[in-house]
Amino acid sequence: MSKLDLEEVNSMQRGKVHGPFLVENMVCQKNHMLTSKGVFLGSDPLKYAMPLMLLQMSVIIITSRLLYRLLKPLKQGMISAQVLAGIILGPSLFGQSSAYMQMFLPISGKITLQTLSNLGFFIHLFLLGLRIDASIIRKAGSKAILIGTASYALPFSLGNLTVLFLKNTYNLPPDVVHCISTVISLNAMTSFPVTTTVLAELNILNSDLGRLATNCSIVCEAFSWIVALVFRMFLRDGTLASVWSFVWVTALILVIFFVCRPAIIWLTERRSISIDKAGEIPFFPIIMVLLTISLTSEVLGVHAAFGAFWLGVSLPDGPPLGTGLTTKLEMFATSLMLPCFISISGLQTNFFIIGESHVKIIEAVILITYGCKFLGTAAASAYCNIQIGDAFSLALLMCCQGVIEIYTCVMWKDEKVLNTECFNLLIITLLLVTGISRFLVVCLYDPSKRYRSKSKRTILDTRQRNLQFRLLLCVYNVENVPSMVNLLEASYPSRFSPISVFTLHLVELKGRAHAVLVPHHQMNKLDPNTVQSTHIVNGFQRFEQQNQGTLMAQHFTAAAPFSSINDDICTLALDKKATLIVIPFHKQYAIDGTVDHVNPSIRNINLNVLEKAPCSVGIFIDRGETEGRRSVLMSYTWRNVAVIFIEGRDDAEALAFSMRIAEHPEVSVTMIHFRHKSSLQQNHVVDVESELAESYLINDFKNFAMSKPKISYREEIVRDGVETTQVISSLGDSYDLVVVGRDHDLESAVLYGLTDWSECPELGVIGDMFASSDFHFSVLVIHQQEGDSLAMDNSYKLPASPHRVGDPRVHPRFSVEEGFTSVDLHSNR
């Protein structure tokens, strides 16, 4: 054996030594065993720290990703996959081979992996704290406080009573009693970061249930912190040292909130002003503060993650700090290091160590605690008049546990608070309960059930019943505003046919844990999103002032994950009884007409809204940039509008909207009616009712055209899709806006040959053609939701005949809507 081989074989020695309290393992590692000499020199890379750590990280991450893919259909999260990866790679499965354990998980390698993963974990916990808005606990209503209190108090109290009963009945040893008591306090807690993570993964963070679960979890976590402090102060040992420890930890938290927080906020504001960029943050000073606070926590005898978490809680969530730090740190901490930390809990789990001694009692107490938590949450929810299905779903969500609880288990095992058997049972039960709970929540709770119904609001019904036109306009940024204002102007709000407008600023949730849907005037003025929302609101308010008495607007902001923000759109449309939702197309066009930017997330939002909306939906292809008009101050109104009519309910909906535009005295509207050559000879009717409705609309438009010179009806006789395409291509730049229905009869001869391929099916066949770079006008693609005619009340019914000269400017029912105030123009004269 060569000298190098001998050094590698003897690079690590282990043995048992007598510690201060019990016999412990000691590991001796030789120096200069960091990097390998190379396989060409006969060196074994896995005997060195760096190659071994890279192998461990790679295998853990790849295994957890593969398991996540396999478990995704069962609605399991990444945390569960990472724990299972550790169990598979650890002594429970592969670790049964001693050669594998010596090669992949030697004791020296475990120490290196644990050290690095703990670094990533406390940064991850800092990010979790950063997403928390500490004011949530003040905003939590009585319902959330009652449910959160019951969710913690019932399992904690009944669990401890069970321990007292078992202790006296079975004469349990003190160490088992202490272990079970610790398990009860762990199972009774519900962590706010874990709950919001589960809600986000299940796409229900911004649902009614998600918002309630968010508030309940932070109340429950507050109780767990209070109990933990009382236990540490008075019940654990009660010595003077523990009192001083509590005092110094409290001092550390005070320093975090009253020294570090103001300093970081001041540095952020100063940097933003110095480089004239609102989104820039002092990244390296914040990292130095984070490392200092974490080091101080270790000095005071608590985990480094404790100080990191509270530093995150102290800082403002959302942009710029929350968003900026999350963007810079999340990849390293959450995606790279956290899987290793979570997998360590699985690596320490060994199913073969679970013996017969007191295992059944411990597992019974764990299950009783979970059962009490479920029943306490469900009972409190039922008391608060929550539907039984939602109450069960909320109870299941409060039973879900994750990274915080796993960290607590690992920490208590290292501190000998939990023995190996108890630790194994905790991890296994946590996996099973959380996995089953997540799956059942998906089965029991549908966030769209609130606004899903057989009846839908349509423009056609609104027009036929002479009801008020109510629009919900969704915007992502200031660039969406000018064309949306032009659309409002073209819709012609008048004193005889006023419009109610609801604007919704959609913000992707970044750097904060909880979703919000609030009126604009209730937003936090220090939130940078408020600044952008204010610019958007100002654009619409200027138009509202120009149309006083004929248009009323309310402005909202929704911050939620884009995967579920469609629930906010549909919920607001239902609450405000909107007739039409207008959402921007996912492609943005440059000034030369080419596609400048594509956002797949916005496309998913549009698809979800089209599927679930309680009213008609319009996808707006905005080409204001190509027209050179991007400022609301430029008082330009669309002068030429065309409506494409083939057949079907969507075309009828588009025509009904265009007839409102046709009432505008300064806008020219052209209806282009495509008919197949064979329709001139035969009159084959498939749906008599829909055919009659379409013929009435067409006749109404023709009557408009006869009485108004700016309204024109144009009939195009075509034989197939080729001729249809030729007519559409000939539109050129003659129009500012084209309105078209989304769905048509795909077997129609007018579309023959056009239905074989479509890049954007959500636009329909004709709308997809207009999305190409060959056109330079804006397009509104309207879809009428399938459903029965909605049974509406008369609360928004307009007068059947025009007012006389002496009548008020504002219709009386228009001024008493939700939060609207009437505007009397006569008082300004």
Side-chain angles (χ1 to χ4, degrees), residues 1 153 159 312 370 393 415 578 778 803 815 825:
M1 183 178 290
Y370 275 119
S393 298
E415 294 178 355
S778 297
H803 289 280
S815 61
L825 293 184

Side-chain angles (χ1 to χ4, degrees), residues 526-807:
L526 299 178
D527 190 339
N529 289 328
T530 307
V531 178
Q532 189 178 24
S533 294
T534 301
H535 292 320
I536 291 172
V537 168
N538 289 340
F540 287 103
Q541 283 182 342
R542 182 178 183 272
F543 180 75
E544 184 182 5
Q545 291 169 2
Q546 294 172 350
N547 295 270
Q548 288 184 1
T550 63
L551 182 140
M552 294 289 181
Q554 280 184 310
H555 310 283
F556 298 86
T557 297
F562 272 2
S563 58
S564 60
I565 204 169
N566 58 282
D567 289 328
D568 286 334
I569 298 173
C570 296
T571 298
L572 189 62
L574 179 72
D575 289 345
K576 300 304 177 183
K577 300 181 180 179
T579 308
L580 176 67
I581 300 172
V582 180
I583 47 181
F585 189 46
H586 69 278
K587 293 182 180 179
Q588 295 181 1
Y589 294 86
I591 196 168
D592 60 351
T594 59
V595 176
D596 181 45
H597 178 67
V598 177
N599 192 329
S601 299
I602 294 180
R603 183 180 189 183
N604 291 331
I605 294 172
N606 295 348
L607 291 171
N608 290 331
V609 172
L610 283 170
E611 180 186 357
K612 302 176 181 179
C615 61
S616 296
V617 179
I619 298 181
F620 186 50
I621 303 175
D622 181 10
R623 288 195 174 97
E625 188 75 40
T626 63
E627 299 166 358
R629 295 180 288 272
R630 270 300 183 193
S631 174
V632 179
L633 299 177
M634 299 174 65
S635 55
Y636 177 85
T637 304
W638 288 330
R639 303 300 180 187
N640 297 291
V641 177
V643 54
I644 305 297
F645 190 93
I646 299 175
E647 61 180 350
R649 54 189 179 83
D650 285 0
D651 277 355
E653 193 81 350
L655 182 57
F657 178 73
S658 300
M659 290 180 71
R660 183 179 182 93
I661 300 177
E663 297 173 1
H664 199 298
E666 298 179 3
V667 177
S668 299
V669 179
T670 302
M671 174 182 172
I672 305 174
H673 187 186
F674 286 88
R675 300 182 66 185
H676 191 258
K677 189 175 182 180
S678 61
S679 65
L680 301 178
Q681 288 82 25
Q682 50 181 300
N683 187 22
H684 177 66
V685 179
V686 177
D687 188 342
V688 176
E689 185 177 350
S690 62
E691 191 79 13
L692 286 174
E694 291 175 16
S695 63
Y696 285 145
L697 273 176
I698 295 172
N699 290 334
D700 284 347
F701 192 89
K702 287 180 179 179
N703 292 333
F704 259 69
M706 293 174 63
S707 59
K708 293 187 177 183
K710 288 194 173 186
I711 309 302
S712 60
Y713 173 82
R714 176 176 149 197
E715 196 170 85
E716 295 288 346
I717 308 300
V718 295
R719 290 179 296 184
D720 54 22
V722 175
E723 293 189 1
T724 302
T725 304
Q726 291 174 353
V727 174
I728 290 176
S729 300
S730 66
L731 297 180
D733 298 329
S734 305
Y735 301 99
D736 301 308
L737 172 70
V738 171
V739 183
V740 62
R742 173 182 180 243
D743 291 333
H744 306 89
D745 183 4
L746 298 181
E747 297 181 358
S748 172
V750 175
L751 303 175
Y752 181 76
L754 300 180
T755 60
D756 297 335
W757 181 83
S758 179
E759 182 182 358
C760 301
E762 66 270 23
L763 297 178
V765 177
I766 304 299
D768 187 55
M769 294 174 59
F770 284 128
S772 69
S773 302
D774 299 331
F775 301 95
H776 294 82
F777 45 72
S778 297
V779 181
L780 180 64
V781 181
I782 295 181
H783 174 63
Q784 183 190 91
Q785 294 293 88
E786 293 185 13
D788 301 333
S789 178
L790 193 65
M792 300 184 186
D793 53 27
N794 292 324
S795 57
Y796 302 109
K797 192 167 183 64
L798 300 176
S801 59
H803 289 280
R804 298 184 182 274
V805 178
D807 287 346

Side-chain angles (χ1 to χ4, degrees), residues 319 475-476 504-510 512 516 523 527 529-530 532-533 536 556-562 565 568:
V475 295
Y476 293 96
L504 181 59
H505 180 205
L506 304 176
V507 181
E508 186 173 12
L509 190 69
K510 289 184 177 179
R512 56 163 51 106
V516 294
M523 290 189 66
D527 190 339
N529 289 328
T530 307
Q532 189 178 24
S533 294
I536 291 172
F556 298 86
T557 297
F562 272 2
I565 204 169
D568 286 334

Side-chain angles (χ1 to χ4, degrees), residues 79 99 102 158 188 247 285 340 474 486 531 541 609 612 723 774:
I79 299 296
Q102 288 295 324
L158 292 183
V247 170
C340 299
C474 302
N486 280 342
V531 178
Q541 283 182 342
V609 172
K612 302 176 181 179
E723 293 189 1
D774 299 331

